[in-house]
Amino acid sequence: MIGKIEKYIREEISKDGTISLALIDSENMSPKIATKIALNAESCGVKSILVGGSTAIDQLELDKIIKTMKKRIKIPVILFPGNVTGISPNADAILFSSLMNSDNPYFITEAQALGALLVKKYNLESIPMGYIVIGDGGAIGFIGRARGIPSEKPELAAMYSLAAKYMGMRFVYLEAGSGVTSQVSPSIVAKVRDVFDGVLIVGGGIRKVEDGIKIAKAGADILVVGTLLNERNFIPTLKEIVKGIRNVRR
Ligand code: 1GP
């Protein structure tokens, strides 16, 4: 069943064409700094804050960050967990993901089984998502033992995305990896868009409006921006990205 947060995300996509979400890595900042970044990102027009990270293991700190942030921002906070430690009762929803091209079953179904009862206990809205690593995937590629899809093989990404759809996943996230220098290529995004009619998220290495526009034009519904937020004055660039990708869908 589609919950309140997913409904909100879908409505924002219908209105704007392509939307941006800001990713905060709970491992690398204090609740105060994270909240300041979230407030600034909100002022740029991002539609939600994702909180997570492939090496985020401090669940207490994650919870503190989300609690502090929730007091100040209006947009929803969605968990983007890299492991069972990425679950907090104070978030609005969770991207309940399977790392589809991992070589390790832990990241495909085992962590999900371990975390599922906690999601239920906390009454978190669960958004089913196929998570697919493209290229070497940086930290998540390494930690998640992903067999990254080569950039020149868009049809492989399409196969995985279609499989995600047939397994009932309403979201697919094409991940190049946090802080990487080459983003998911527009040809991969376009090939996936041809077969996947759910919500298509793309992230990894997006720091310039030009990169965002190419990915949005290829058919992404959502762009995730993370590393850019570590820059002292990210506001003008993030505003440019949010504005630049609006209504440029193919
Ligand atoms: C990482 O896709 C996200 O999981 C965001 O990547 O940090 O490179 O923006 P960046």
Side-chain angles (χ1 to χ4, degrees):
M1 202 187 67
I2 294 182
K4 198 170 90 186
I5 301 300
E6 183 174 340
K7 203 163 161 264
Y8 157 77
I9 293 287
R10 287 175 179 275
E11 280 166 6
E12 293 303 313
I13 294 167
S14 314
K15 272 195 263 167
D16 281 9
T18 312
I19 62 171
S20 313
L21 306 186
L23 171 64
I24 288 188
D25 188 341
S26 58
E27 203 65 354
N28 291 324
M29 55 188 88
S30 67
K32 201 173 150 201
I33 301 283
T35 302
K36 190 172 168 225
I37 292 177
L39 274 168
N40 285 337
E42 183 179 51
S43 76
C44 294
V46 306
K47 303 296 181 183
S48 170
I49 305 291
L50 297 182
V51 185
S54 50
T55 53
I57 37 94
D58 190 340
Q59 204 165 3
L60 297 178
E61 189 66 11
L62 170 83
D63 196 41
K64 260 194 236 159
I65 285 179
I66 294 177
K67 257 194 197 150
T68 314
M69 205 183 271
K70 289 283 296 172
K71 285 190 196 135
R72 305 284 307 279
I73 62 170
K74 292 189 187 69
I75 52 175
V77 174
I78 303 176
L79 298 167
F80 178 41
N83 214 320
V84 289
T85 49
I87 307 172
S88 153
N90 292 296
D92 296 292
I94 179 168
L95 293 172
F96 201 87
S97 326
S98 171
L99 177 44
M100 296 185 67
N101 55 335
S102 174
D103 269 345
N104 184 340
Y106 179 80
F107 295 100
I108 307 172
T109 53
E110 196 176 344
Q112 293 75 2
L114 290 168
L117 284 176
L118 209 49
V119 171
K120 184 174 163 60
K121 183 175 171 190
Y122 294 161
N123 200 23
L124 285 166
E125 176 180 331
S126 170
I127 300 174
M129 183 175 92
Y131 189 44
I132 303 168
V133 169
I134 312 293
D136 85 357
I140 180 57
F142 177 79
I143 299 281
R145 310 239 177 146
R147 200 150 38 90
I149 291 176
S151 292
E152 65 282 11
K153 293 286 172 200
E155 61 278 14
L156 294 180
M159 278 162 43
Y160 273 91
S161 303
L162 195 56
K165 172 186 152 96
Y166 290 153
M167 286 193 277
M169 292 157 178
R170 297 190 292 271
F171 284 45
V172 156
Y173 191 134
L174 302 176
E175 174 69 271
S178 187
V180 296
T181 44
S182 54
Q183 305 77 27
V184 176
S185 71
S187 55
I188 290 201
V189 177
K191 200 80 177 173
V192 168
R193 183 77 288 172
D194 285 343
V195 297
F196 183 71
D197 54 5
V199 175
L200 179 56
I201 309 180
V202 179
I206 301 168
R207 286 188 211 89
K208 288 192 298 211
V209 66
E210 300 80 35
D211 298 329
I213 290 175
K214 279 187 219 152
I215 293 168
K217 274 194 178 150
D221 296 306
I222 297 177
L223 301 193
V224 175
V225 176
T227 302
L228 173 71
L229 311 181
N230 297 330
E231 286 176 18
R232 190 180 278 273
N233 187 15
F234 68 81
I235 295 181
T237 314
L238 186 58
K239 268 192 184 154
E240 231 186 328
I241 294 175
V242 170
K243 224 172 133 204
I245 63 169
R246 215 174 264 161
N247 301 320
V248 296
R249 289 284 298 280
R250 65 173 183 166

